[in-house]
Amino acid sequence: MKYAFTLLLIFHILPTWQFEYGTNQNFYMKDNFSNKKENILFIHGFPMSKGIWRSQLQVLQKSYNCFAIDLPGYGDNTKSVNFTHSIDSYADYVHGYLLENDMEKAHIVGMSMGGSIALNLMRRYPEMVKTLSVIHTSAIPDTNEEKINRDKTIANIENGGLSNFIEYFADRLLSPSASIDIRNKYISDMNEASKEIVIAGYKAIRNRPDEFETLKLIEVPVLVVAGNDDVGSSPKEMKEMSDEIPNSTFEIIKDCGHVAPLEKPDELNKILLEWFDNKMD
């Protein structure tokens, strides 16, 4: 069985972990891997990379096989040439990764755009999903007005406004209570994405499919996590999404915007650990 993974900054922060190089720019926790453990796959948001999950991987890998991926063009994944960026194609990529690594089923965790991908995967490849966790995620598509605004933003980025976009993105999506260090880290992580990938990912979000009507058809347990200061995916919107899912658990994190893994890692870790432990009983 092949497992693909790679090295990134997080590894220097957490030197006790052991890793090997692979070919698909993804990684898993080698040190504690066991065929007897359940597999959890993490999908990052826009325009982030697998490194956003550094705290969750450190904590959860003690009890579970934790896999994190870079979507094509993000982080260390250079597979962006001839790749059509859409929520469907990202979900296809995740599906292919699961098959390549002989994971018949996995617990899927997605944040923001990663949550949209997770919902898409759930709808189109339900046989691969054991449980679903969506964080800061919208199940509804953009309105026409929102699409027009995104098009204006894309035009600004194309005309040299990437730095302004990233600064605005951080100020809009982080909680007002977020520290300057968190803001700087968020901006630094986003700056790792190229202008082309930011535009491609933003277009994918703009054109994301409507998943709301299929929520009631989900048969696996679902965890829905919101930040009470999130203006990207509001707590109200996420609660409405949770209410549509037959077997769902809704959690809200205080003083948190749109980036819980970075803003409130300990609180998110506690929610995930308790939820997974309960589902494994």
Side-chain angles (χ1 to χ4, degrees):
M1 181 167 63
K2 289 184 177 180
Y3 292 91
F5 43 92
T6 192
L7 188 67
L8 75 165
L9 177 62
I10 177 179
F11 302 168
H12 299 292
I13 298 172
L14 302 167
T16 58
W17 297 3
Q18 296 183 18
F19 308 88
E20 293 179 359
Y21 287 86
T23 57
N24 284 358
Q25 295 76 39
N26 304 308
F27 67 76
Y28 73 95
M29 304 294 96
K30 176 190 174 187
D31 215 20
N32 291 283
F33 180 84
S34 169
N35 288 326
K36 296 180 180 180
K37 292 181 181 179
E38 297 276 348
N39 298 319
I40 302 176
L41 178 67
F42 292 85
I43 310 173
H44 63 79
F46 165 88
M48 308 300 294
S49 70
K50 60 183 175 288
I52 193 66
W53 301 111
R54 52 178 65 86
S55 176
Q56 288 66 55
L57 294 169
Q58 182 186 21
V59 172
L60 288 164
Q61 60 101 21
K62 298 171 184 176
S63 302
Y64 306 98
N65 295 325
C66 292
F67 299 77
I69 66 171
D70 275 332
L71 297 169
Y74 296 83
D76 297 308
N77 191 338
T78 58
K79 183 182 178 182
S80 59
V81 178
N82 298 324
F83 184 86
T84 301
H85 291 263
S86 69
I87 301 301
D88 278 0
S89 63
Y90 291 146
D92 288 339
Y93 178 81
V94 174
H95 178 248
Y97 179 79
L98 291 170
L99 292 177
E100 177 184 344
N101 291 286
D102 297 334
M103 285 187 275
E104 294 181 0
K105 278 184 178 289
H107 302 275
I108 307 297
V109 181
M111 184 195 82
S112 190
M113 184 180 76
S116 297
I117 296 166
L119 288 171
N120 189 291
L121 186 78
M122 180 75 254
R123 172 169 55 84
R124 296 172 58 228
Y125 304 106
E127 71 282 359
M128 307 296 290
V129 182
K130 194 161 188 179
T131 66
L132 187 66
S133 299
V134 289
I135 305 162
H136 311 312
T137 300
S138 177
I140 58 176
D142 273 2
T143 64
N144 288 333
E145 181 180 358
E146 289 169 335
K147 288 181 178 180
I148 290 171
N149 288 334
R150 288 195 196 274
D151 288 340
K152 291 178 181 178
T153 299
I154 290 168
N156 288 334
I157 295 172
E158 290 174 336
N159 292 324
L162 179 58
S163 294
N164 288 338
F165 168 74
I166 288 176
E167 293 273 347
Y168 163 77
F169 210 62
D171 290 337
R172 178 174 182 268
L173 294 183
L174 291 174
S175 168
S177 65
S179 69
I180 189 64
D181 288 341
I182 288 175
R183 182 181 183 275
N184 289 341
K185 177 58 180 169
Y186 189 36
I187 289 173
S188 175
D189 285 354
M190 287 192 286
N191 272 317
E192 294 180 3
S194 68
K195 180 175 77 172
E196 292 73 23
I197 290 302
V198 169
I199 291 172
Y202 211 52
K203 287 181 178 179
I205 295 170
R206 176 197 185 278
N207 299 321
R208 68 185 182 276
D210 187 347
E211 302 290 358
F212 195 82
E213 293 303 315
T214 60
L215 294 175
K216 60 177 65 70
L217 303 178
I218 297 178
E219 297 181 353
V220 302
V222 179
L223 172 66
V224 178
V225 182
N228 72 323
D229 292 333
D230 189 356
V231 299
S233 301
S234 71
K236 178 178 181 295
E237 178 185 349
M238 295 202 68
K239 181 62 167 62
E240 291 172 351
M241 179 172 69
S242 179
D243 289 342
E244 290 293 309
I245 302 170
N247 183 7
S248 70
T249 300
F250 179 74
E251 298 283 353
I252 187 165
I253 302 177
K254 294 182 179 179
D255 300 321
C256 181
H258 195 71
V259 200
L262 181 61
E263 294 179 79
K264 296 291 180 179
D266 293 340
E267 290 83 346
L268 180 59
N269 290 343
K270 183 175 184 294
I271 290 171
L272 289 172
L273 271 175
E274 290 181 354
W275 193 76
F276 278 121
D277 288 348
N278 288 335
K279 296 307 171 187
M280 304 304 173
D281 291 340

